[in-house]
């Protein structure tokens, strides 16, 4: 044997003659080698190899990656002198060819052994050869490679050869009279392939000949039940023939054998022909799978099904929802619940629309249905049209339920719709099936996630109520992390049930880690990721491509503009792809061009591109910055932007539009977590010039929710500005952070930040930033008892704003000067500044600013005895505040009016009236505080 050997019968590997494995590297390189070995000595095209290495959409640089793997394989071969043994990896145009002697590959030696066995007739030699050949297998063929279609076919072919070898070995043992050995060989395979009826039949006969008649009969009945429950069919002829043989060998059961022969007189003898599993009269087929265990609630959906199936003749109802949401369980549960309503029977078929196996051909399903309805094989129509016509004929006039599970699309369903008005058709699918709604008036019933209470009830059904009762908060948290998805909940419960030492709280803590959540929600071959992968695989290429680029997304919401930025495509193409994803229930449409991803779907998208395409992340961050600028403009109309996009930023093709201030602020609140995630992603990628912008551009929300825990984010934003080396950004971040610290009652920390902000602005040459920094410092000093410095700081800020033509900043300076002058008893000067600020605050500046200035102006007028004018201004302030839904401003203006009308009320510090902003802890106007960012603009 040569110096190197290749193994594909198990994990793909290359070993020395002594069995020492050579270092091959990652799964993609093993997949490349597997493809070359599966087609050894034959050129394999680059496109075919690429398909094997990337089960989904390959990256743009796929060819370069492929070439790298080829180079590494060649290096391994050269290092171990493989060429001396006839092993060479050649490039042939746009293809590669692995040249090597066949005997170096274990699969080749295995196939040679089978050919040798076919040529001989000595059972003892057959046993010896096949035992050695089967000893070459170390696991499933081509294990350790990328799962995908290119390697599935050769792996399946080798597995079929292995099973054939096992069956041949068992027959050879039988010829030698060693029926116990035959049964032993077959038993393990029958456990792994319980529905391979040829193998089960052979095992039954081997068991009987080994004196284990009862075990043989038990094996038949268990297999028959599996076929009926799992597939809705009866055993094939090969299995029933073996069963009859068993009965004939037992004299005590001769009468039963005679009855069985009579019952089977009309069956088809051809191997593989199936008979319907009949649970009632011959003309009432009952093909339903067993009732799902642990079914939880769904009372609303069950009631909807009752209503819509009774509302029309021959109703067609679609149960649609995302992968793992429990559509099949709901449909089968309802069917069992209403079984008595269908005396004509029930037909069931898994259409495998979203399955690892190919989707079912409607003609094949029609043949099964016709068999169940009593049509003999020899009278089965031949053409698709004739099959459909016969099916509709036999279903007309019957009260029949047809349950079509896991449909791929409307086209697959239409040929299977029954003909009678008494029939009810229930369809489940991950697709919305809009076409069936349009052409056949199907009634859609959406199946969504389980509510919180039902989710915990499902956990209790699997784990036991005592486990959930012992840790109710952990159970609720666990249910939330599973998105209310029954599949995820059942997998989580299964993992907990098999690891009783693991408590709910501990497991919920593990699930909270987004990096590992999908891995934890997997049990053997069942899991959330696998289910979502099947949904994704069925989609058109544009939708798959978009989904693969959603990895950088940090929140649940997604609109066409964001999708276009991620996918680097036009908004129209993004909208089309999003519609396809919505049809497949991978995203949920919430409004025009607006969608939501559930957490588990978002994590699955991230898992497909764990490193997040750097260019995609950059496009996303730039898109968020531009969206934030639009939100700022709507939240503070007329204000100067605090920054512009980073140098080199790419302009997004579509930016979200905000109709008004309220809409912008609502968006800010809804996207706060998403923006935090985007900031963290920018920091992790070292994109600090984007990171600080993502923080500072949230200033309208910070102003309106000032005491809502902003300090950590602002400190991190300041750190990014420092790492970016931008003193203007540092000034703005310091000013905003200082103001928030002041609002939180942390004066020493606040003043430290605020004192630094003007100096940084001067260093940057940012006059606008310097003006705002001085205003914020003045307000903080005044708040903490300084009556000297604020006036000078505010006067300097006003001069800077007027010199630069910054209307909003000048308005802000007038406002705080008026307030400061009132507090020191200079009411005439206060009235002048309030009037000048009010003149500047004409629309489109935000109405709250005008309400505050008007109230201040009224306060100053009242202080100098001009009470009538003060009342008029306060009434106007009330009117404008009410029109703009500014409740705090309205309350303050009314309080000031009440103070004028009732001089006996508590007096403020200036002249006996309520002074806006005089108590920042209880009477603060949101609109009168320094916005810190409202007047910034880039230097």
């Amino acid at each position: 044997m040569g110096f190197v050997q290749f193994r594909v019968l198990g994990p793909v590997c290359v070993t020395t003659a002594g069995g020492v494995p050579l270092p091959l590297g990652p799964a993609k390189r093993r997949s490349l080698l597997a493809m070359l070995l599966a087609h050894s000595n034959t050129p394999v095209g680059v496109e075919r190899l690429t398909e094997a290495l990337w089960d989904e959409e390959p990256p743009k640089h796929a060819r370069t990656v492929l070439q790298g793997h080829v180079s590494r394989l060649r290096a391994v071969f050269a290092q171990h002198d493989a060429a001396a043994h006839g092993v060479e990896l050649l490039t042939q145009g746009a293809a590669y060819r692995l040249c090597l002697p066949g005997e170096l590959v274990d699969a080749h030696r295995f196939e040679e052994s089978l050919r040798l066995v076919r040529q001989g007739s000595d059972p003892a030699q057959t046993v010896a050869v096949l035992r050695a050949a089967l000893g070459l297998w170390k696991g499933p063929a081509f294990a350790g490679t990328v799962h995908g279609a290119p390697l599935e076919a050769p792996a399946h072919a080798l597995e079929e050869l292995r099973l054939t070898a096992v069956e041949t070995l068992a027959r050879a043992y039988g010829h030698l009279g060693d029926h116990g050995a035959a049964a032993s060989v077959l038993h393990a395979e029958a456990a792994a392939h319980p529905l391979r009826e040829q193998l089960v039949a052979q095992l039954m006969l081997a068991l009987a000949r080994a004196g284990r008649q009862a075990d043989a009969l038990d094996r038949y009945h268990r297999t028959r039940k599996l076929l009926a429950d799992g597939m809705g069919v009866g055993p094939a002829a090969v299995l029933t023939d073996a069963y009859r043989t068993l009965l004939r060998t037992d004299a005590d059961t001769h009468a039963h054998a005679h009855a069985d022969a009579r019952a089977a007189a009309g069956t088809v003898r051809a191997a593989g022909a199936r008979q319907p599993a009949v649970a009632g009269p011959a003309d009432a087929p009952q093909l339903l799978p067993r009732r799902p265990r642990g079914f939880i609630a769904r009372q609303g959906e069950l009631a909807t099904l009752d209503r819509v199936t009774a509302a029309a003749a021959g109703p067609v109802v679609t149960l649609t929802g995302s992968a793992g949401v429990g559509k099949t369980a709901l449909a089968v549960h309802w069917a069992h619940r209403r079984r008595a309503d269908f005396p004509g029977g029930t037909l069931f078929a898994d259409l495998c629309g979203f399955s690892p196996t190919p989707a079912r051909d409607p003609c094949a399903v029609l043949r099964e249905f016709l068999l169940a309805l009593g049509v003999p094989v020899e009278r089965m129509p031949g053409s698709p049209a004739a099959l459909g016509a016969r099916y509709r004929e036999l279903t007309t006039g019957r009260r029949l339920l047809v349950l079509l599970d896991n449909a791929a699309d409307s086209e697959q369903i239409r040929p299977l719709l029954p003909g009678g008005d008494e029939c009810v058709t229930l369809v489940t699918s991950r697709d919305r099936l809009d076409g069936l709604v349009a052409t056949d008036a199907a009634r859609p019933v959406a199946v969504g996630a389980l509510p919180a209470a039902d989710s915990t009830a499902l956990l209790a059904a699997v784990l036991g109520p005592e486990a959930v009762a012992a840790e109710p908060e952990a159970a609720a948290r666990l249910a939330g992390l599973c998105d209310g998805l029954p599949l995820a909940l059942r997998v989580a419960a299964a993992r907990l049930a098999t690891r009783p030492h693991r408590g709910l709280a501990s497991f919920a803590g593990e699930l909270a880690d987004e990096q590992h959540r999908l891995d934890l929600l997997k049990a053997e071959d069942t899991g959330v990721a696998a289910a979502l992968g099947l949904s994704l695989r069925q989609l058109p290429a544009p939708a798959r491509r978009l989904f693969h680029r959603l990895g950088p997304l940090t929140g649940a919401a997604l609109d066409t503009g964001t999708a276009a930025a991620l996918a680097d495509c036009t908004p129209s193409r993004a909208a089309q792809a999003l519609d396809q994803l919505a049809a497949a229930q991978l995203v949920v449409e919430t409004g025009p061009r607006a969608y939501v991803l559930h957490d588990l779907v978002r994590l699955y998208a991230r898992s497909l591109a764990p490193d997040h395409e750097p260019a995609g992340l950059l496009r996303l961050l730039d898109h968020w910055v531009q969206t934030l600028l639009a939100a700022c403009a709507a939240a503070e109309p007329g204000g100067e932007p605090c920054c512009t996009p980073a140098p080199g930023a790419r302009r997004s093709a579509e930016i979200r539009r905000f109709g008004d201030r309220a809409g912008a602020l609502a968006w800010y609140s809804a996207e706060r977590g998403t923006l935090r995630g985007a900031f963290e992603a920018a920091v992790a990628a070292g994109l600090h010039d984007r990171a600080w912008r993502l923080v500072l551009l949230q200033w309208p929300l910070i102003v309106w929710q000032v005491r809502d825990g902003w300090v950590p984010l602002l400190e991190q934003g300041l750190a990014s500005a420092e790492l970016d080396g931008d003193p203007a950004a540092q000034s703005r971040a310091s000013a905003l952070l200082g103001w928030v610290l002041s609002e939180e009652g942390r004066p020493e920390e606040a003043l430290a930040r605020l004192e630094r902000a003007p100096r940084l602005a001067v260093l940057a040459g940012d006059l606008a930033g310097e003006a705002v920094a001085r205003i914020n410092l003045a307000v903080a000093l005044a708040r903490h008892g300084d009556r000297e410095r604020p006036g000078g700081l505010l006067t300097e800020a006003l001069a800077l704003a007027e010199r630069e033509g910054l209307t909003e900043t000048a308005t802000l300076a007038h406002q705080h000067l008026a307030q400061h002058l009132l507090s020191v008893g200079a009411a005439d000067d206060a009235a002048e500044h309030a009037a000048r600020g009010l003149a500047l605050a004409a629309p489109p500046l935000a109405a709250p600013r005008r309400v505050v200035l008007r109230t201040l102006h009224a306060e100053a007028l009242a202080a100098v005895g001009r009470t009538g004018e003060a009342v008029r201004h306060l009434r106007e302030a009330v009117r404008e505040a009410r029109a703009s839904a500014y409740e705090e401003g309205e309350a303050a203006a009314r309080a000031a009016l009440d103070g004028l009308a009732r001089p006996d009320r508590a007096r403020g510090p200036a002249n006996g009236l309520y002074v806006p902003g005089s108590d920042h802890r209880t009477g603060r106007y949101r609109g009168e505080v320094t916005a810190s960012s409202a007047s910034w603009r880039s230097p």
Side-chain angles (χ1 to χ4, degrees), residues 511-739:
L511 276 183
D513 182 356
E514 291 190 346
Q515 299 297 322
H516 300 101
R517 191 177 305 169
L518 288 178
D519 291 335
L520 291 169
L521 293 178
K522 177 182 178 182
E524 295 184 351
D525 60 346
T526 299
V528 174
L532 293 171
L534 292 172
S535 293
L536 187 61
R537 192 176 301 173
Q538 306 295 328
L539 287 172
R544 288 202 312 274
R545 190 178 303 112
L546 172 61
F547 193 86
H548 274 263
R549 294 191 173 182
L550 295 182
L553 198 65
T554 56
L558 179 66
D559 57 26
T560 54
T562 307
L566 281 165
D568 195 16
C569 67
T570 64
S572 60
R573 288 188 178 179
Q576 181 183 24
L578 283 169
D579 188 56
Q580 292 166 342
L581 290 173
Q585 313 287 341
L586 286 170
V587 301
V588 179
E589 190 171 7
T590 57
R593 304 168 78 83
Y595 303 82
V596 164
L597 278 78
H598 291 304
D599 279 351
L600 292 176
V601 176
R602 178 176 55 82
L603 293 179
Y604 176 62
R606 182 181 298 175
S607 74
L608 298 177
D611 297 327
H612 306 332
E613 182 193 8
L617 175 61
L618 194 59
R619 290 193 302 270
L620 177 67
L621 297 176
D622 286 340
H623 175 78
W624 278 127
V625 167
Q626 293 168 56
T627 306
L628 283 163
L629 284 166
C632 284
E636 293 292 334
E640 295 86 5
C642 72
C643 64
T644 58
R650 181 173 175 180
R651 179 155 184 79
S652 291
E654 180 179 278
I655 301 297
R656 184 187 183 98
R657 295 180 180 178
F658 299 94
D660 54 24
R661 175 184 179 82
L665 289 171
W667 177 83
Y668 270 116
S669 294
E671 296 297 335
R672 182 174 174 180
T674 299
L675 294 169
R676 176 60 189 251
F679 166 77
E680 291 171 349
V683 170
L687 298 170
H688 295 289
D689 58 343
R690 271 74 174 177
W692 64 257
R693 286 173 166 85
L694 290 170
V695 174
L696 296 185
L697 284 168
Q698 295 182 58
W699 72 264
L701 184 64
I702 296 173
V703 167
W704 281 68
Q705 296 180 8
V706 65
R707 298 174 189 172
D708 203 15
W710 293 102
V711 168
L713 180 65
L714 288 168
E715 288 177 337
Q716 291 164 344
L718 176 57
S720 283
E722 290 169 344
L723 287 168
D724 190 34
D726 189 325
Q730 295 170 46
S731 170
R732 299 163 188 172
S734 296
L736 186 53
L737 174 59
W739 177 68

Side-chain angles (χ1 to χ4, degrees), residues 12 23-33 69 72 144-146:
V12 173
L24 286 182
K28 281 185 169 54
R29 195 170 303 149
R30 295 173 187 272
S31 301
L32 168 64
L33 177 60
H69 287 308
R72 291 301 303 149
T145 60
V146 176

Side-chain angles (χ1 to χ4, degrees), residues 43-130:
V44 186
V46 167
E47 290 187 4
R48 187 69 170 155
L49 291 172
T50 301
E51 188 180 353
L53 269 61
W54 286 275
D55 185 37
E56 302 294 344
E57 190 74 20
K60 292 179 180 178
H61 58 285
R63 186 157 192 156
T64 302
V65 174
L66 177 62
Q67 290 168 345
H69 287 308
V70 169
S71 296
R72 291 301 303 149
L73 281 181
R74 284 175 171 156
V76 171
F77 293 164
Q79 185 179 357
H80 294 85
D81 201 21
H85 303 282
V87 178
E88 191 173 7
L89 179 49
L90 303 175
T91 302
Q92 294 186 336
Y96 294 99
R97 178 160 66 100
L98 180 59
C99 302
L100 77 169
E103 62 268 17
L104 296 184
V105 186
D106 58 356
H108 175 83
R109 300 198 300 278
F110 175 72
E111 293 176 18
E112 283 296 311
S113 298
L114 294 189
R115 280 192 285 271
L116 178 62
V117 164
R118 293 190 196 104
Q119 295 168 4
S121 57
D122 182 3
Q125 184 185 11
T126 297
V127 167
V129 171
L130 289 181

Side-chain angles (χ1 to χ4, degrees), residues 322-381:
S322 63
V325 81
K327 303 176 293 294
T328 299
L330 173 60
V332 174
H333 178 84
W334 182 85
H336 277 280
R337 186 167 169 255
R338 302 299 300 269
R339 193 169 181 170
D341 295 344
F342 302 100
T346 55
L347 298 175
F348 173 88
D350 180 357
L351 301 182
C352 301
F354 297 87
S355 169
T357 58
R360 297 287 306 279
D361 179 5
C363 288
V365 178
L366 283 173
R367 291 188 188 95
E368 288 186 6
F369 283 180
L370 291 177
L371 281 171
L373 292 167
V375 177
V377 171
E378 61 269 20
R379 297 180 61 186
M380 189 68 61

